[in-house]
Amino acid sequence: MASPFPSVPSLVAEARALYVQVFGEEEAVLTAVCAPGRVNLIGEHTDYNQGFVLPMALPMVTVVVGSQSCGQEVSVVTATKDADQPLQVDFSLPTDGAPLSPGLPSWANYVKGVIQHYRAPPLPGLKAVVCSSVPLGGGLSSSASLEVAFYTFLQQLKPDDGDKVSKALACQQAEHTHAGVPCGIMDQFVSVLGREGHALLIDCRSLEATPVPLADPELLILITNSNVKHSLSASEYPLRRRQCEEAASVLGKDSLRDANMKDLEEAKERLDDVTYRRARHVVEEIERTVQAAGALKRGAYTQFGRLMVQSHNSLRDLYEVSCSELDELVSAAMEVEGVYGSRMTGGGFGGCTVTLLQSHAIDKTILHLQKRYSGTPTFYVATPSEGARALNLS
Ligand code: ADP
Ligand code: MG
């Protein structure tokens, strides 16, 4: 069985109850917002190469409830027990324009980064509670959902100009400067701009998004969490970024988005084998993503599935960011009749796979994965959902 996850209203109720417990009954919660996690269907490690990605927003969200307080004091509590201790932070907003420094607990750095990069300073003091149904560190972008939810919360306290792309960029900056993760724009972008019933083909160079309908009742998207996370991901991600920049510079391009396979083959002699393979993954994956979006539009699911598997194999063999657990899950999924395609999703070295399948095959696919996987998987059936939004408090 796929795991149920709490609905948005029940997350809000949980967050409100915690707010009352921590800050006292007399404090009225004035505002509630949410922002979704995401799953990337195809286009992996292409965003920071200015390429295309095809993610969708998830029904799993991070909720923030809270209110403005007098003075400059900020108090934020997370209900998520998996975050590092302490689960409450208190700090003052700098009055002299000094930056908010990152520190411990590390989860609060996402909040501090968003406050730092908020586009309509100065902000008032605030009290807030965070509550999430996005698993932490599972490759479904709990980090971007926290950043975007918190930004959306700040918009309720002190509106900015409402520009959505600039909002996503500010949240990406927060992750760079305060969490120390040099991430691309995909996660924040889809968490802000996700559309119900659609995947988003995002051009990470022009920052234009094209919604691609994904609401065929005959089709399901299954996310399988391997429930492993290898520590390699923290060091390998920045290394991959550097390798891509190096390849682009040898090719004389601003980014690998501007390169094709002919350019790459011509420059092969001047690239070491590893750098060549990294670049080849990126160049081919950008092309695959555009093809996949076209296939999805036409309802050509078999072709879409084939591209997913090619993407996985390339991430495993050329980009070397998969791991045995993800490979096992993808191979097992592809053994089930009714499965179109499957691949690792997110940065790699653990986290989740995403599988596209015929709706009728869902139960047997889950059973087969449970039987074949050496670890303990968690399953989510995901429907493409809405991006960040303010919620009604009744
Ligand atoms: P992913 O984005 O794939 O879930 P990351 O490692 O990028 O994984 O981000 C996970 C981190 O984001 C957590 O370790 C925590 O610091 C922070 N985080 C995300 N959601 C929450 C939350 N609800 N409460 C506190 N911290 C959170
Ligand atoms: Mg993240």
Side-chain angles (χ1 to χ4, degrees):
M1 270 284 287
S3 295
F5 44 85
S7 66
V8 175
S10 69
L11 286 171
V12 172
E14 187 186 340
R16 286 181 85 167
L18 185 57
Y19 185 97
V20 170
Q21 192 188 318
V22 174
F23 299 117
E25 299 271 358
E26 73 281 4
E27 302 278 356
V29 173
L30 296 179
T31 295
V33 300
C34 73
R38 63 95 188 95
V39 67
N40 190 20
L41 300 174
I42 193 162
E44 214 65 79
H45 290 276
T46 50
D47 62 348
Y48 56 81
N49 289 294
Q50 316 283 308
F52 286 93
V53 292
L54 187 66
M56 59 177 232
L58 292 174
M60 290 119 109
V61 299
T62 297
V63 158
V64 178
V65 306
S67 53
Q68 181 171 331
S69 62
C70 349
Q72 295 295 303
E73 295 310 303
V74 173
S75 220
V76 185
V77 180
T78 178
T80 305
K81 303 281 183 295
D82 292 339
D84 54 329
Q85 297 281 342
L87 300 181
Q88 176 169 351
V89 287
D90 300 282
F91 55 90
S92 298
L93 293 169
T95 42
D96 52 1
L100 267 177
S101 309
L104 290 174
S106 54
W107 68 266
N109 293 331
Y110 296 87
V111 168
K112 289 178 182 166
V114 169
I115 292 175
Q116 181 72 51
H117 293 283
Y118 190 65
R119 296 174 56 255
L123 283 161
L126 58 94
K127 293 174 178 171
V129 172
V130 175
C131 195
S132 187
S133 56
V134 188
L136 267 59
L140 302 181
S141 211
S142 67
S143 59
S145 73
L146 172 57
E147 291 147 15
V148 173
F150 208 81
Y151 194 105
T152 310
F153 170 68
L154 298 181
Q155 287 176 303
Q156 314 310 306
L157 302 188
K158 177 149 193 266
D160 66 356
D161 63 9
D163 183 283
K164 290 190 171 185
V165 172
S166 301
K167 173 177 173 178
L169 287 167
C171 291
Q172 179 197 26
Q173 278 308 306
E175 187 145 346
H176 285 194
T177 60
H178 282 66
V181 181
C183 57
I185 189 62
M186 167 170 66
D187 301 357
Q188 293 80 9
F189 197 102
V190 67
S191 185
V192 173
L193 285 119
R195 250 221 226 170
E196 195 177 346
H198 293 77
L200 280 192
L201 177 66
I202 306 169
D203 180 336
C204 299
R205 183 164 59 186
S206 68
L207 297 180
E208 275 164 345
T210 312
V212 183
L214 181 54
D216 185 337
E218 304 284 301
L219 202 65
L220 280 182
I221 293 139
L222 174 67
I223 296 171
T224 307
N225 193 341
S226 67
N227 288 315
V228 297
K229 185 80 195 159
H230 298 292
S231 55
L232 270 176
S233 54
S235 56
E236 293 291 311
Y237 185 89
L239 176 62
R240 291 298 178 284
R241 276 197 80 137
R242 285 200 299 278
Q243 289 165 333
C244 292
E245 281 161 18
E246 191 197 323
S249 122
V250 171
L251 267 66
K253 309 281 186 192
D254 284 345
S255 73
L256 288 177
R257 167 69 179 275
D258 299 316
N260 56 34
M261 277 310 293
K262 187 165 164 284
D263 299 325
L264 198 55
E265 292 309 318
E266 278 169 10
K268 196 171 178 183
E269 307 267 277
R270 290 180 283 131
L271 292 165
D272 64 74
D273 177 57
V274 171
T275 313
Y276 166 80
R277 288 188 292 119
R278 304 295 187 250
R280 184 169 161 194
H281 164 75
V282 172
V283 169
E284 292 180 338
E285 181 81 354
I286 291 173
E287 178 58 30
R288 265 194 293 273
T289 304
V290 176
Q291 283 178 17
L296 197 56
K297 262 183 221 151
R298 294 192 307 278
Y301 304 137
T302 304
Q303 188 197 350
F304 191 94
R306 207 179 300 127
L307 291 164
M308 289 176 86
V309 174
Q310 284 172 15
S311 166
H312 182 79
N313 293 345
S314 175
L315 289 159
R316 182 191 61 202
D317 301 333
L318 297 176
Y319 218 64
E320 296 181 280
V321 292
S322 188
C323 59
S324 61
E325 293 87 350
L326 294 171
D327 296 341
E328 235 177 66
L329 286 170
V330 168
S331 304
M334 294 314 297
E335 289 164 358
V336 184
E337 189 252 308
V339 168
Y340 290 115
S342 185
R343 56 184 289 281
M344 57 156 274
T345 184
F349 302 107
C352 296
T353 62
V354 57
T355 302
L356 189 78
L357 70 160
Q358 293 171 10
S359 308
H360 69 79
I362 186 70
D363 291 343
K364 66 177 176 184
T365 304
I366 289 178
L367 279 175
H368 190 70
L369 289 173
Q370 259 162 348
K371 199 169 78 194
R372 288 290 310 275
Y373 181 46
S374 54
T376 311
T378 314
F379 300 99
Y380 311 100
V381 172
T383 41
S385 303
E386 200 62 37
R389 55 208 183 264
L391 301 167
N392 276 334
L393 279 177
S394 46

